[in-house]
């Protein structure tokens, strides 16, 4: 068994600004590999290695293992900065970091299993309990298939949803199970129009033993009851579903900013075909489109960081947001997606058909953003309905994930 010793007790935790500066230095490298990543349906190893060296995958790892144990706000800063260079790489960073956060709410013994010998271990994950389990002495034997494991090519562990049953096989709970990647089979199933390089493939368990200390009850976690012994660690007091939802908005912010930058920079030299405008920037109609897109991207940031502050402040105070606040975070996340999606659409209309040239990064941003915006935990229609019911105080919610 691994011994829990800090991997690097002298590690200096960088500020969010320092992390973003490190990422900006890597953006040419990451962007230069984006087409290759799409072609191979996995982020290029050179990009993963550079981001690992820069500490980008440490933002949600406990300090006890040399991590930065930062905040929800920092997680948005980091993922959006990576997304300015490539959406698929940002998605892998986002999902690995949020799965590291989930690992941080497990008992210390489970965290030792993951990071005790390898403080750079990466974790992928899927909440859906698409598995069967059998109760045995000391834990469970698990068989199942979990699709959409973003970052699956680079993960050392996976946190996966399972049903919890009693001795008779009757379901009594739902849990997250930490399983070493070496115990899982793998099937490449991610053939999609966007986020191609995210490696969101299927992991497969065939009668894998999971000891009891590597299980966390999902209903208890939704209520803020985590089994970690380190209750003084602020980050791991964050609200469960709000954090899992809002973190997915980070890549959208970066992709929106980059699309606006590309279109505005080209406007001084790009003509509007079949008009007298030799520069798009001279057109009042174009100016209106740019203004609306920029406002929508700004609005997305305001809502994303308001929601992040709700999560961070509650964690710092040792309180847990009530249902209304947690529902509003889901609605804020949806508002980010709605506004960035609309902003990118406006920008592509303004920029013209050249947006869709294979050499133009706008087409990749458009595809990556559109696919990511359809993640089940962030679907705007679902999230608004959740928030609307909470505002009305209704008891007929459509999901327990609040």
């Amino acid at each position: 068994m691994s011994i829990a010793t800090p991997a690097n007790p002298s590690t200096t935790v960088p500020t969010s600004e320092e992390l973003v500066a490190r990422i900006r230095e890597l953006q040419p490298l990451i962007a230069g590999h984006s087409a290759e990543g799409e072609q191979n349906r996995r982020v290029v190893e050179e990009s993963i290695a550079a981001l690992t060296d820069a500490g980008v995958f440490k933002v949600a790892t406990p300090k006890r293992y040399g991590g930065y144990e930062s905040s929800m706000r920092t997680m948005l800063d980091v993922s959006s900065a990576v997304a300015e260079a490539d959406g698929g790489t940002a998605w892998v960073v986002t999902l690995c970091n949020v799965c590291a956060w989930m690992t941080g709410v497990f008992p210390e013994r489970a965290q030792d299993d993951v990071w005790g010998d390898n403080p750079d271990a990466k974790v992928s994950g899927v909440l859906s309990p698409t598995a069967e389990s059998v109760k045995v002495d000391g834990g469970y034997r698990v068989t199942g298939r979990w699709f959409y494991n973003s970052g699956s090519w680079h993960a050392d562990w996976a946190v996966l949803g399972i049903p919890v049953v009693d001795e008779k096989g009757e379901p009594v709970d739902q849990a997250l199970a930490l399983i070493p990647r070496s115990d899982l089979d793998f099937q490449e199933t991610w053939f999609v129009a966007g986020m191609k390089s995210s490696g969101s493939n299927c992991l497969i368990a065939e009668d894998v033993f999971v000891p009891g200390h590597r299980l966390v009850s999902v209903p208890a976690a939704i209520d803020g009851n985590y089994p970690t012994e380190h209750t003084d660690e602020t980050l791991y007091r964050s609200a469960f579903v709000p954090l899992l939802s809002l973190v997915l908005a980070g890549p959208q912010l970066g992709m929106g900013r980059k699309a606006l930058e590309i279109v505005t920079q080209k406007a001084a030299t790009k003509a509007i075909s079949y008009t007298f405008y030799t520069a798009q920037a001279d057109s009042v109609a174009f100016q209106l489109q740019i203004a609306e897109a920029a406002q929508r991207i700004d609005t997305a940031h305001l809502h994303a960081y308001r929601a992040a502050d709700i999560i961070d402040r509650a964690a710092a105070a040792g309180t847990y947001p009530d249902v209304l606040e947690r529902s509003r975070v889901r609605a804020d996340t949806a508002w980010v997606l709605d506004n960035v999606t609309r902003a990118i659409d406006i920008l592509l209309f303004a920029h013209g058909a050249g947006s869709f040239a294979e050499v133009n990064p706008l087409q990749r941003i458009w595809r990556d953003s559109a696919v990511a915006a359809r993640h089940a935990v962030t679907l705007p229609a679902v999230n608004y309905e959740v928030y609307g019911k909470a505002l009305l105080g209704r008891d007929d919610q459509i999901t327990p994930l609040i």
Side-chain angles (χ1 to χ4, degrees):
M1 184 181 72
S2 303
I3 298 174
T5 55
N8 184 1
S10 63
T11 295
T12 300
V13 176
T15 65
S16 182
E17 290 77 14
E18 288 169 336
L19 277 169
V20 169
R22 293 180 191 176
I23 294 166
R24 293 242 158 92
E25 288 185 5
L26 296 175
Q27 284 180 345
L29 170 76
I30 298 166
H33 285 313
S34 54
E36 182 183 352
E38 280 205 313
Q39 184 176 5
N40 297 332
R41 294 190 303 281
R42 59 186 295 175
V43 176
V44 173
E45 290 298 331
E46 188 177 354
S47 296
I48 294 292
L51 289 165
T52 300
D53 291 344
V56 171
F57 289 102
K58 289 185 176 181
V59 297
T61 303
K63 292 176 182 174
R64 290 175 282 109
Y65 303 98
Y68 300 156
E69 198 178 311
S70 58
S71 65
M72 181 69 247
R73 178 172 272 266
T74 298
M75 292 172 79
L76 290 180
D77 291 344
V78 164
S79 59
S80 62
V82 177
E84 291 173 357
D86 180 54
T89 305
W91 200 252
V92 171
V93 167
T94 300
L95 271 294
C96 286
N97 279 336
V98 76
C99 289
W101 177 82
M102 281 195 281
T103 304
V105 307
F106 275 72
E108 181 182 72
R109 186 178 170 193
Q111 297 179 42
D112 289 349
D113 292 345
V114 175
W115 290 307
D117 290 333
N118 180 14
D120 286 325
K122 298 177 181 64
V123 185
S124 69
V126 175
L127 261 65
S128 301
T130 49
E132 297 178 353
S133 62
V134 177
K135 187 175 176 59
V136 297
D137 187 29
Y140 290 84
R141 301 205 71 88
V142 174
T143 297
R145 299 170 68 89
W146 297 268
F147 293 86
Y148 315 125
N149 280 269
S150 302
S152 60
W153 290 109
H154 312 288
D156 303 284
W157 286 74
V159 59
L160 302 167
I162 68 165
V164 177
V165 298
D166 60 17
E167 290 78 2
K168 298 177 181 177
E170 297 295 326
V172 294
D173 199 359
Q174 180 181 327
L176 294 173
L178 261 173
I179 302 177
R181 176 67 179 78
S182 56
D183 286 357
L184 299 165
D185 289 330
F186 174 91
Q187 184 177 2
E188 195 172 357
T189 55
W190 188 243
F191 299 92
V192 288
M195 287 293 175
K196 288 185 175 184
S197 63
S198 66
S200 307
N201 293 299
C202 180
L203 295 180
I204 304 161
E206 294 286 351
D207 197 30
V208 172
F209 175 69
V210 181
H213 71 273
R214 284 204 239 120
L215 296 176
V216 164
S217 167
V218 172
I222 290 172
D223 290 334
N225 297 315
Y226 308 140
T228 176
E229 299 88 344
H230 298 276
T231 55
D232 58 325
E233 294 175 341
T234 299
L235 180 62
Y236 309 103
R237 295 199 299 246
S238 302
F240 189 75
V241 174
L243 186 142
L244 300 190
S245 173
L246 182 61
V247 75
L248 301 178
Q252 297 287 350
L253 299 176
M255 287 188 283
R257 294 199 299 257
K258 188 63 180 180
L260 179 63
E261 176 189 316
I262 292 171
V263 174
T264 53
Q265 285 185 347
K266 292 284 186 181
T269 56
K270 193 174 189 300
I272 300 179
S273 299
Y274 305 112
T275 74
F276 296 117
Y277 286 114
T278 57
Q280 292 174 325
D282 295 333
S283 161
V284 172
F286 182 87
Q287 294 162 8
L288 293 173
Q289 288 173 304
I290 288 290
E292 182 178 352
Q295 285 294 89
R296 287 184 178 276
I297 292 167
D298 282 350
T299 297
H301 281 74
L302 292 171
H303 280 264
Y305 284 96
R306 178 182 76 168
D309 288 344
I310 289 172
I311 295 171
D312 288 340
R313 278 199 299 266
T319 59
Y320 204 72
D322 60 22
V323 169
L324 183 60
E325 282 187 306
R326 283 148 48 198
S327 300
R328 191 170 68 181
V329 171
R330 284 197 62 156
D332 279 338
T333 304
W335 200 244
V336 172
L337 270 53
D338 261 350
N339 277 280
V340 172
T341 299
R342 178 61 183 143
I344 291 174
D345 197 37
I346 292 169
L347 290 167
L348 266 62
F349 269 113
H351 190 70
S355 304
F356 302 97
E358 289 187 354
V359 296
N360 193 331
L362 281 173
Q363 53 82 22
R364 183 176 301 110
I365 290 172
W366 174 61
R367 288 184 290 104
D368 285 349
S369 172
V371 169
R374 272 72 178 183
H375 191 285
V377 179
T378 60
L379 281 175
V382 171
N383 287 15
Y384 296 150
E385 185 172 356
V386 167
Y387 186 42
K389 287 183 183 294
L391 284 169
L392 295 167
R394 295 177 63 99
D395 58 4
D396 58 344
Q397 270 295 357
I398 60 173
T399 174
L401 293 175
I402 298 175

